[in-house]
Amino acid sequence: MFACHFPRWRPNATRKPWQWGRFLPAIWERCQTWSCEGFNTPAGQGQQVGEQEKQESEGLEMPFATRRTETLFQEQPKIGNQYLEDALLKSYLKTNLPPKVREEVNQDLEKFGNRLLTEIKPLAWECELNPPVFRQYDAWGQRLDHIITCSAWRRMKEIVAEQGLIAEAYERRYSNWSRVHQAIKLYLFSNSSGGFHCPLAMTDGAAKVIESLGIPGSLKNAFDHLTSRDPKKFWTSGQWMTERRGGSDVANGTETVARKQPDGAYHLYGFKWFTSAADSDVTLTLARIADAQGHVKQGSGGLSLFFLKIRDEEGKLNSIKVQRLKDKLGTRQMATAELWLDGAEAELISAEGRGVASISNMLNITRIHNVIAAVASMRRMISLSREYALRRVVFGKLLKDHPLHMQTIARMEVQTRGAFLLLMEIVRLLGLVETNMANEQDQLLLRLLIPVAKLYTGKQASAVVVEAMECFGGQGYMEDTGLPVIVRDTLVLSIWEGTTNILSLDVLRSLTKTQGQVMAIFSSTVQRKLELASSTEKLEPAVKLMQDAVSNLAQLVRRAGSKGAVTMELAARDFSYSLARIYAGALLIEHAARPDSSSTDVSTARRWCNQELCPVATELKNGSYDAEEAFMDSCLVYDGSPGSGSKL
């Protein structure tokens, strides 16, 4: 309870409401010790606080409803052009992009930042307030299956095309730097997109798959639409993989059957349990081809990849029935549906039985988009938090003047900077691969870093946005501030495109497939980055911590490898975290070792390296991955639950 005691006063039927004001001075004086957020002085008015209180006291005899109450209000944090306000982003571009490319990209990003502020951001809020609606039947019982989206969502699609958010990556105006340019625009766009960053991820992924197939003639038209800058021609794509029996377990969970028709086309029959952006124009999906007897091959070897248009030329659904829209925690701006495929016409685009291999390019792209969304969410919440700290007065001074509050935001800033550089490293490598400028080491490193970055930034983002929400006190919990929207939409990022454990196991597969070669590449790449800082005295402590972590990681790989598959599986999550922290630390040190680096660059690198860089080594020493500990895991989980004995 609040430590506030009201003066003795008994109700009096003859006392008028306006007379209550005479009791307020005593109440107000006693309530100065309250910690309730709603009663603190608004930021940006620190020098006006005394004057406002004086005016309030002088007007206490006025009717309560007409008195000024400004001192009970808080100022809204306002952000400007997010490109111009992002110091790390600008310094990264200055360091890495060729001068001519940097000049053009800088102009484009500044213009885009202004458009985000003036036009796109308001549309995003409209999308949140007007989520899609499903109309299954008309008034006369005729089935419609209409997914109705708001005008702001449709306008967002036009803007995406105009800005070339997909086209930028495939036009390759800036050669290998085109992916970096695209990624930065998506990073700036993400939290002002009203959820449209999700269909963009799948559209980019579909274009990548088609390109990797050599853009066959039958798909040339689709590729041109997916990468168009013309709003009237631009298409978005879905990615229909999740079915009722499983999400990540595609090999065993896919039940959809494809039946070949006399004209060479296929008709698909099955139920898609979770289809994001169900209002898209086209989609890629997996299915099992039935033979003449109707039999299908199980496992991943029985899956093939198909392309299909969701509607025909008249706008009618392609033998698809919408079961319902999903009721989600977040990303409510976007239509996610359950769909029946009841003979949907589709085109086989992979070799038969090579569906998983063919769609892997799409998964790599959508996972990178997931990283972009995660880093963007962290950056947006920190931008709002630091802006709020310049306005909000608490205990007689601005939040920015409270050391503990600044320490909290600074810790989030360190995490965000590490995540940002990890993202930029991945898209840099992707750009090299796409322009045939990557060597084998670059390709293997990219294969490893994509799942590592996706799983780690997904968890980072959830932690950072929830922490940042506290920076606003009770206001952070209010829906109409927009802050809960960011939190909700961020929480899905550890689930989309593979959960943390699923991706941790994928990291292990990349090690196994290369017989440990990728780990040697990882270690040598980190060491090269650390060598750049060898002459920077202020970075010596961070370099030493990093070198110890790399050494511990190498020892872990040797020891765990000899203990068998179970040990490696138990260590997979901590191992992936270790890879992320070590590589991000190396990138931060490399950035801080630049001749024109700032003191904040150096401080960020040192602070990052002060955390536990190699948690997997510590847990291995503690015996956390032994068979006995694995057995105790089950005991702890099911302790006291009904039938626990049979479970163990």
Side-chain angles (χ1 to χ4, degrees):
M1 296 295 292
F2 298 120
C4 180
H5 302 282
F6 291 89
R8 291 178 179 269
W9 175 71
R10 295 179 179 177
N12 188 321
T14 62
R15 185 173 283 115
K16 305 299 182 183
W18 62 265
Q19 293 177 314
W20 297 351
R22 68 185 63 181
F23 294 94
L24 292 181
I27 296 174
W28 179 254
E29 182 179 355
R30 301 219 181 166
C31 290
Q32 292 305 297
T33 57
W34 281 19
S35 60
C36 178
E37 287 290 328
F39 284 86
N40 288 322
T41 307
Q45 300 180 16
Q47 298 178 354
Q48 304 174 17
V49 173
E51 180 64 26
Q52 288 185 348
E53 289 182 357
K54 179 180 178 182
Q55 293 173 357
E56 293 297 326
S57 297
E58 292 174 351
L60 285 176
E61 293 299 324
M62 296 171 58
F64 187 83
T66 61
R67 283 200 305 275
R68 292 180 60 200
T69 56
E70 283 83 355
T71 54
L72 301 182
F73 297 160
Q74 300 179 22
E75 278 194 66
Q76 176 183 356
K78 297 178 181 179
I79 56 175
N81 186 314
Q82 287 294 275
Y83 170 61
L84 298 178
E85 294 181 359
D86 197 324
L88 179 61
L89 168 55
K90 291 191 293 182
S91 67
Y92 175 86
L93 296 179
K94 181 181 179 182
T95 301
N96 292 279
L97 264 59
K100 188 176 185 305
V101 174
R102 184 174 71 247
E103 181 181 356
E104 293 185 18
V105 167
N106 179 68
Q107 292 175 358
D108 181 52
L109 294 178
E110 185 172 347
K111 289 179 182 178
F112 186 49
N114 288 332
R115 191 176 189 185
L116 284 166
L117 199 61
T118 58
E119 181 183 2
I120 300 175
K121 189 166 174 273
L123 290 174
W125 189 241
E126 285 188 47
C127 291
E128 175 65 23
L129 296 177
N130 300 282
V133 176
F134 176 43
R135 187 182 179 198
Q136 193 166 29
Y137 297 95
D138 69 9
W140 308 102
Q142 296 297 313
R143 186 149 187 168
L144 300 174
D145 284 1
H146 285 177
I147 296 175
I148 304 167
T149 57
C150 66
S151 60
W153 178 265
R154 298 190 295 274
R155 177 59 185 145
M156 201 71 81
K157 182 180 179 181
E158 296 173 348
I159 292 173
V160 162
E162 293 166 358
Q163 291 293 151
L165 294 188
I166 301 300
E168 204 67 66
Y170 297 92
E171 294 169 347
R172 301 200 171 96
R173 289 187 296 162
Y174 304 122
S175 184
N176 57 299
W177 294 108
S178 293
R179 272 293 180 185
V180 170
H181 182 203
Q182 181 213 29
I184 292 171
K185 292 188 78 169
L186 291 168
Y187 162 73
L188 295 172
F189 177 68
S190 183
N191 276 105
S192 297
S193 71
F196 212 90
H197 63 89
C198 178
L200 280 187
M202 297 181 292
T203 302
D204 197 354
K208 182 63 180 174
V209 168
I210 295 173
E211 185 183 57
S212 69
L213 295 172
I215 314 182
S218 62
L219 295 175
K220 176 66 166 60
N221 181 57
F223 181 80
D224 290 344
H225 279 282
L226 293 170
T227 59
S228 177
R229 287 180 179 265
D230 185 345
K232 295 180 180 179
K233 296 180 179 179
F234 179 63
W235 285 354
T236 56
S237 176
Q239 174 188 313
W240 297 354
M241 296 180 65
T242 304
E243 301 197 6
R244 289 175 294 185
R245 290 177 55 192
S248 296
D249 188 8
V250 173
N252 297 310
T254 302
E255 300 174 306
T256 299
V257 173
R259 302 187 187 281
K260 192 171 184 179
Q261 305 302 303
D263 62 356
Y266 286 81
H267 287 180
L268 305 187
Y269 300 85
F271 190 84
K272 297 297 179 178
W273 176 249
F274 198 97
T275 60
S276 295
D279 61 319
S280 293
D281 302 282
V282 298
T283 192
L284 299 187
T285 189
L286 295 171
R288 302 184 188 278
I289 297 177
D291 61 21
Q293 289 73 42
H295 301 143
V296 297
K297 183 179 179 180
Q298 298 301 318
S300 61
L303 294 174
S304 300
L305 183 61
F306 293 85
F307 168 86
L308 64 91
K309 292 183 179 179
I310 296 175
R311 295 170 185 80
D312 61 20
E313 299 300 326
E314 297 179 356
K316 296 180 180 179
L317 287 172
N318 176 14
S319 298
I320 299 169
K321 295 180 179 178
V322 182
Q323 188 77 355
R324 62 169 177 163
L325 294 185
K326 293 288 193 179
D327 187 8
K328 301 170 293 181
L329 172 66
T331 65
R332 298 173 181 172
Q333 317 93 330
M334 175 185 63
T336 302
E338 296 173 13
L339 303 176
W340 278 106
L341 307 185
D342 189 20
E345 185 174 338
E347 177 185 350
L348 175 65
I349 64 173
S350 72
E352 191 170 333
R354 294 287 297 167
V356 174
S358 297
I359 206 170
S360 63
N361 282 311
M362 186 177 207
L363 298 180
N364 283 335
I365 295 297
T366 53
R367 285 170 180 172
I368 291 173
H369 276 255
N370 203 96
V371 177
I372 293 171
V375 181
S377 294
M378 290 189 273
R379 173 54 62 207
R380 175 58 59 87
M381 286 296 276
I382 291 175
S383 295
L384 290 167
S385 297
R386 71 183 188 182
E387 165 65 14
Y388 192 59
L390 293 172
R391 298 169 176 268
R392 179 77 165 117
V393 174
V394 179
F395 301 116
K397 57 184 178 180
L398 292 168
L399 277 174
K400 76 175 185 64
D401 296 322
H402 290 272
L404 182 57
H405 190 74
M406 287 295 96
Q407 180 194 71
T408 301
I409 298 179
R411 286 176 175 175
M412 293 188 288
E413 177 69 25
V414 169
Q415 291 299 312
T416 304
R417 290 186 174 217
F420 175 81
L421 291 181
L422 189 56
L423 165 62
M424 289 295 102
E425 178 76 347
I426 291 172
V427 294
R428 181 188 71 82
L429 290 170
L430 178 62
L432 292 174
V433 170
E434 291 184 329
T435 53
N436 299 315
M437 298 171 66
N439 56 34
E440 183 184 7
Q441 291 186 346
D442 292 330
Q443 295 178 46
L444 291 175
L445 188 59
L446 179 62
R447 166 68 181 88
L448 175 68
L449 290 180
I450 288 175
V452 165
K454 190 278 170 187
L455 70 87
Y456 194 72
T457 58
K459 302 299 279 190
Q460 268 185 310
S462 294
V464 167
V465 299
V466 171
E467 182 73 76
M469 187 166 64
E470 284 191 44
C471 293
F472 302 90
Q475 285 298 99
Y477 205 64
M478 298 297 107
E479 282 289 345
D480 53 1
T481 65
L483 297 169
V485 176
I486 300 176
V487 174
R488 284 197 303 269
D489 291 356
T490 299
L491 294 178
V492 77
L493 298 177
S494 62
I495 299 173
W496 270 352
E497 309 309 324
T499 61
T500 306
N501 286 349
I502 291 297
L503 290 174
S504 296
L505 296 176
D506 188 46
V507 169
L508 293 188
R509 279 193 294 274
S510 70
L511 267 65
T512 303
K513 192 172 182 179
T514 64
Q515 297 180 331
Q517 182 184 1
V518 71
M519 274 309 301
I521 295 170
F522 177 90
S523 298
S524 62
T525 303
V526 169
Q527 291 291 1
R528 283 198 303 273
K529 295 182 183 301
L530 296 181
E531 288 170 5
L532 297 174
S534 59
S535 59
T536 306
E537 183 179 353
K538 292 182 179 180
L539 290 172
E540 286 180 1
V543 171
K544 178 63 169 61
L545 290 168
M546 284 288 297
Q547 289 172 336
D548 291 344
V550 173
S551 177
N552 290 338
L553 188 65
Q555 293 178 24
L556 173 279
V557 172
R558 288 194 295 269
R559 290 174 58 191
S562 64
K563 292 191 174 185
V566 174
T567 297
M568 284 304 293
E569 179 176 339
L570 290 171
R573 191 181 180 107
D574 293 331
F575 178 71
S576 298
Y577 285 1
S578 300
L579 292 176
R581 291 180 185 177
I582 290 172
Y583 204 89
L587 293 170
L588 287 166
I589 289 174
E590 179 184 44
H591 191 73
R594 296 165 13 255
D596 60 343
S597 68
S598 66
S599 58
T600 55
D601 293 328
V602 174
S603 177
T604 300
R606 294 184 62 167
R607 291 179 184 216
W608 180 277
C609 295
N610 282 334
Q611 68 181 314
E612 188 173 18
L613 294 171
C614 193
V616 68
T618 302
E619 294 299 326
L620 183 66
K621 290 178 182 178
N622 294 337
S624 300
Y625 312 130
D626 294 341
E628 183 179 347
E629 285 298 307
F631 174 73
M632 285 307 302
D633 289 341
S634 296
C635 292
L636 285 168
V637 170
Y638 291 109
D639 185 28
S641 67
S644 60
S646 61
K647 293 183 177 70
L648 301 179

